[in-house]
């Protein structure tokens, strides 16, 4: 049904075992019907099949994937298990992004995209994200929710990401944590234009390149910079995959943890699909880092 499903499970199982070992997670107690590795794999299946609700996913696995997941818990336990993936998903994503940072790239691209919870008109009725989400504006108008700030390399591999509320400006989100571990040219749109920010990034060996505004003085630019600027649109392809092919926005979420668990599982599914080499990693791979 899904290509590389066994390889994906083996990768997840290896990484989960390593995380649990590092965190000294006790295995004492009643054994659950679905292991953490199985729950994480199911979250990726949901992304790859474009399934919107947990109920559809639950009955699909129960009906058509009995061989892969013979012991299914109750629907309530199943939903709780998917929501509790949040911690493991965050650590696994960070570990795989470290691998992507180690690959040479001539340049990196940064941009943001909205992750709405609802339209701005319903923000006072929404209990989801209360105290965390805020109103933001993009090209399509106002929304209520969050933002995903993404940095990719020239091969469209995700090397860094960050979630903020909807009102956070792009240039404010661009801090030392977001660019940690990368160096070279960083291409952004006009939202990242700022002399002080460019000066700060130069201390980290990062050259921020953006197009100027219409009222700004035109400066001479070499062909290399123009060629890199012309490639900025590749980040839109990454956003399109995350939103259209995968399900980074959970419109049916009942808790903020569930909302971000789905967002993290979409990024993980994207990372695995975009870099098949990751599927063949071993749990003791020397490049993996879980020290943080």
């Amino acid at each position: 049904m899904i290509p590389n499903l066994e390889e994906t499970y083996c990768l997840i199982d290896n990484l989960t075992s390593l995380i649990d070992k590092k965190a000294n997670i006790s295995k004492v107690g009643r054994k659950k019907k679905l292991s953490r590795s199985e729950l994480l794999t199911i979250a990726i299946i949901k992304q790859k099949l474009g399934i919107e609700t947990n109920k559809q996913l639950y009955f699909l696995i129960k009906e058509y994937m009995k061989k892969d997941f013979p012991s299914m818990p109750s629907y309530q336990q199943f939903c709780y298990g998917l929501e509790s993936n949040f911690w493991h998903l965050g650590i696994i994503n960070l570990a795989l992004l470290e691998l992507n940072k180690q690959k040479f790239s001539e340049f990196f691209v940064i941009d943001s995209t909205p992750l709405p919870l609802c339209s701005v008109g319903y923000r006072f009725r929404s209990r989801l994200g209360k105290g965390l989400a805020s109103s933001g504006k993009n090209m399509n108008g106002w929304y209520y929710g969050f933002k995903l700030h993404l940095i990719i390399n020239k091969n469209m591999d995700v090397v860094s990401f960050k979630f903020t509320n909807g009102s956070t400006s792009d240039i404010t989100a661009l801090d030392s944590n977001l660019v940690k571990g990368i160096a070279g040219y960083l291409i952004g749109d006009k939202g990242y234009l700022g002399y002080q920010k460019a000066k700060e990034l130069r201390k980290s060996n990062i050259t921020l390149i953006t197009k100027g505004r219409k009222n700004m003085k035109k400066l001479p630019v070499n062909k290399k910079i123009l060629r890199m600027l012309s490639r900025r649109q590749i980040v839109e392809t990454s956003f399109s995959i995350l939103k259209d092919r995968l399900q980074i926005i959970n419109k049916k979420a009942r808790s903020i943890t569930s909302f971000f668990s789905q967002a993290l599982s979409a990024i993980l599914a994207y990372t695995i699909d975009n870099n098949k080499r990751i599927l063949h990693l071993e749990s003791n791979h020397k490049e993996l880092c879980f020290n943080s």
Side-chain angles (χ1 to χ4, degrees):
M1 183 181 287
I2 298 176
N4 303 315
L5 181 59
E6 291 185 8
E7 290 89 342
T8 300
Y9 172 78
C10 291
L11 169 69
I12 296 298
D13 190 52
N14 287 337
L15 294 176
T16 303
S17 299
L18 186 57
I19 292 170
D20 292 347
K21 184 179 179 181
K22 290 280 185 180
N24 294 320
I25 294 178
S26 174
K27 294 184 178 180
V28 177
R30 185 178 178 183
K31 187 177 179 181
K32 296 180 180 179
K33 290 188 175 182
L34 287 175
S35 67
R36 178 59 56 198
S37 303
E38 289 174 321
L39 285 166
L40 289 166
T41 304
I42 288 172
I44 293 176
I45 290 172
K46 182 181 181 182
Q47 293 295 331
K48 291 191 175 184
L49 295 181
I51 298 173
E52 290 190 0
T53 66
N54 287 343
K55 186 167 287 188
Q56 292 173 338
L57 178 66
Y58 181 76
F59 287 113
L60 180 135
I61 291 173
K62 213 171 181 185
E63 187 70 26
Y64 299 105
M65 302 185 74
K66 291 179 181 178
K67 185 179 178 181
D68 300 304
F69 305 98
S71 301
M72 288 291 286
S74 66
Y75 175 67
Q76 288 76 14
Q77 289 298 318
F78 177 76
C79 292
Y80 174 77
L82 290 179
E83 186 175 327
S84 64
N85 281 338
F86 178 80
W87 186 70
H88 282 83
L89 282 167
I91 296 176
I92 290 173
N93 267 308
L94 290 177
L96 297 184
L97 297 192
E98 286 300 318
L99 293 180
N100 286 338
K101 288 177 183 179
Q102 294 173 21
K103 296 191 296 184
F104 170 77
S105 181
E106 185 183 8
F107 62 89
F108 300 90
V109 183
I110 183 171
D111 205 351
S112 67
T113 190
L115 301 179
L117 293 173
C118 63
S119 63
V120 72
Y122 292 95
R123 65 188 184 279
F124 296 117
R125 300 183 190 180
S126 176
R127 296 181 180 179
L128 197 64
K130 196 172 183 179
L132 297 173
S134 63
S135 300
K137 190 178 183 182
N138 64 350
M139 293 178 66
N140 297 320
W142 288 92
Y143 70 94
Y144 177 75
F146 301 93
K147 266 186 179 182
L148 168 65
H149 303 267
L150 198 69
I151 300 179
I152 62 171
N153 61 18
K154 66 176 183 178
N155 297 320
M156 294 172 56
D157 297 320
V158 178
V159 296
S160 185
F161 67 88
K162 182 180 187 179
F163 296 110
T164 64
N165 58 40
S167 60
T168 303
S169 66
D170 291 346
I171 198 166
T172 302
L174 180 54
D175 57 15
S176 57
N177 290 326
L178 189 61
V179 297
K180 185 178 179 181
I182 67 172
Y185 292 103
L186 181 62
I187 314 298
D189 61 16
K190 297 174 186 177
Y192 299 95
L193 193 61
Y195 173 77
Q196 193 61 38
K197 181 63 67 174
K199 188 177 178 181
E200 290 174 11
L201 292 174
R202 272 195 219 104
K203 297 177 182 178
S204 303
N205 296 319
I206 297 172
T207 303
L208 180 62
I209 300 173
T210 63
K211 285 187 176 181
R213 296 191 177 95
K214 292 180 179 179
N215 60 349
M216 294 178 66
K217 182 180 179 181
K218 303 296 181 183
L219 298 174
V221 182
N222 61 44
K223 291 182 179 180
K224 182 180 178 181
I225 301 298
L226 288 173
R227 180 167 51 83
M228 287 189 290
L229 279 170
S230 68
R231 296 284 308 280
R232 197 197 70 81
Q233 294 300 324
I234 62 174
V235 73
E236 300 298 339
T237 305
S238 296
F239 286 143
S240 178
I241 293 171
L242 286 167
K243 288 187 170 184
D244 300 333
R245 190 181 304 173
L246 303 173
Q247 303 285 318
I248 194 169
I249 300 175
N250 189 353
K251 298 178 181 178
K252 308 291 184 180
R254 295 187 177 182
S255 70
I256 202 65
T257 306
S258 178
F259 182 85
F260 282 113
S261 290
Q262 177 144 324
L264 288 170
S265 64
I267 294 172
L268 178 57
Y270 174 91
T271 300
I272 292 173
D273 281 348
N274 204 56
N275 190 351
K276 299 298 183 184
R277 184 179 67 89
I278 286 176
L279 288 173
H280 304 291
L281 288 176
E282 297 296 333
S283 61
N284 60 349
H285 198 283
K286 65 179 181 180
E287 294 179 330
L288 287 174
C289 177
F290 291 97
N291 295 329
S292 57

